[in-house]
Amino acid sequence: MKVAKFGGSSLASGEQIKKVFEIVTADPERKFVVVSAPGKRNSDDIKVTDLLIEAAKQQLRGDNGEPLIEDVVARYGNIAKELDISEEVITAIRENLQALLHADQSEPKRYLDALKASGEDNNAKLIAAYFQRCGVEAQYINPNKAGLIVSDEDGFTQVLPESYDRLYNLHDVPGIVVFPGFFGYTLDGDVLTFSRSGSDITGSILANGVKADLYENFTDVDAVYAVNPNVVPNPKGIRELTYREMRELSYAGFSVFHDEALIPAFRAGIPVHIQNTNNPAAQGTRIVSTRDNTNGPVIGIASDKGFCSIYVSKYLMNREVGFGRKLLHILEDYGVAYEHIPSGIDDVTLILRQDQMKGDSEKKIITRIMQELHADEVIVEHNLALIMVVGEGMRHNVGTTARASKALADAKVNIEMINQGSSEVSMMFGVKEHSEEMAIQALYHEFF
Ligand SMILES: Nc1ncnc2c1ncn2[C@@H]1O[C@H](COP(=O)(O)OP(=O)(O)O)[C@@H](O)[C@H]1O
Ligand SMILES: N[C@@H](CC(=O)OP(=O)(O)O)C(=O)O
């Protein structure tokens, strides 16, 4: 039995949904179908999720979100027309969106999440209606009814473990299950969304819950490529990579698969197969526990912008008991999470996502580090890109770091920081954002 998840690009129009129907019905093993909200039809288009977020924000600040909601209804209306689905489905979608738009706003985050989640929820209803119209037994299933329970205790949405056993009961549903991605329900019955692109996470949770043999993730590319195809044209496709490699690469910028979506499938030992809705005959990319390391040290190179570093130096830092704890405590006081901490004898660098530094919090953090920790020097660097060079083969190959540094030096890219941290399958380079693309291209040409 397989779980097949289709992303927004695979569901952006009626024509796309017809392809999805063909794919699902071509294999009787595809019983569980997870869907995103309609995505972009072309590069200038707006995703339904973004329209819903903007409508909710307008309403929350006292403006009128109605016109944007009508845009959303029109998107579904066009799809319904292409698929020849009855007007009743669109009337129900309009009523649902109107009710959500005018719902209680006393908890703005809950209000926003409910509107955001409606993108996938209404799409799942519409797609189930299309399958039925085509004479295929299919049902929309609500995540609350199915028992996908989540919490946001640590500030982000996480599935509760009891969900998995409950989801197993979906085997009792006759025919194809059409399940909306991107959200679950709290024990109190409130909607909570995962982070952006989180339908991948739902697919993985469902695969674990129903004990699927395979989690198929359908998107709009023939494979996961060794680098972002928007940075290097026609890059090499990856046939197979391990969960660890994919986790590192998706964390570091491979937006093709959500970095939180691997753990549920990994824990249940379920392989993930990334495929192209527009070209299902392509081989795609399989994510598995182990693979042959015959392709050289590096499997992929990912990068992401928007980081800053705080460099702290103090003579004899290594002897000072509690220095690290006090430093991190200061960050905690400002609600700031760190990404990496490369360190030396007398110095340490904290790498953070810089959008966390709201208002004058950066200034206050620096002042406290100087005053409370008596640091000799504190230097903040903004606008850094982190480049992650990933490959299980790096453990067995000597000189990979040297090759990478030389490639960057030859391309005249200044390395701000290197971290080969505890992960044995990746190394990270910090460079200025304006050098990011050049660095990726230089590294790609060195290793592929
Ligand atoms: N290394 C990579 N390999 C393949 N695609 C990548 C990679 N890095 C970034 N992408 C981008 O990810 C896109 C697919 O992800 P996304 O737009 O979220 O798909 P979906 O709509 O199916 O959820 C591709 O079109 C591509 O532009
Ligand atoms: N629709 C949501 C969730 C999602 O997974 O979308 P997509 O499959 O288009 O990345 C978003 O845009 O974030």
Side-chain angles (χ1 to χ4, degrees), residues 5-10 36 39-40 47 197 200 217-230 235 238 253-257 277 301-302:
K5 178 261 169 178
F6 293 88
S9 56
S10 304
S36 289
K40 291 184 180 194
K47 286 174 127 191
S197 294
D200 288 342
N217 193 284
F218 283 90
T219 179
D220 64 350
V221 278
D222 278 352
V224 175
Y225 299 109
V227 285
N228 186 336
N230 304 311
I238 303 172
F254 275 18
S255 53
V256 61
F257 193 66
T277 299
I301 303 162

Side-chain angles (χ1 to χ4, degrees), residues 307-311 354 379-384 416 432:
F307 294 91
C308 67
S309 67
I310 305 177
Y311 169 84
Q354 68 189 8
I379 301 169
V380 181
E381 289 258 16
H382 293 110
N383 305 327
L384 293 177
E416 304 285 328
K432 284 286 190 191

Side-chain angles (χ1 to χ4, degrees), residues 36 38 51 84 140 176 258 290 424:
S36 289
L51 291 171
D84 198 17
Y140 154 82
I176 292 168
H258 199 296
T290 53
E424 294 167 70

Side-chain angles (χ1 to χ4, degrees), residues 184-253:
Y185 284 82
T186 63
L187 286 167
D188 296 332
D190 290 337
V191 167
L192 287 183
T193 55
F194 294 113
S195 53
R196 292 303 303 268
S197 294
S199 299
D200 288 342
I201 306 174
T202 307
S204 186
I205 292 168
L206 202 63
N208 180 315
V210 302
K211 303 280 165 275
D213 301 307
L214 184 65
Y215 171 26
E216 297 182 305
N217 193 284
F218 283 90
T219 179
D220 64 350
V221 278
D222 278 352
V224 175
Y225 299 109
V227 285
N228 186 336
N230 304 311
V231 177
V232 173
N234 303 316
K236 188 174 173 264
I238 303 172
R239 279 257 284 277
E240 203 170 60
L241 75 175
T242 66
Y243 294 107
R244 280 212 302 181
E245 289 171 330
M246 191 64 207
R247 161 101 178 102
E248 300 263 351
L249 288 165
S250 50
Y251 160 80

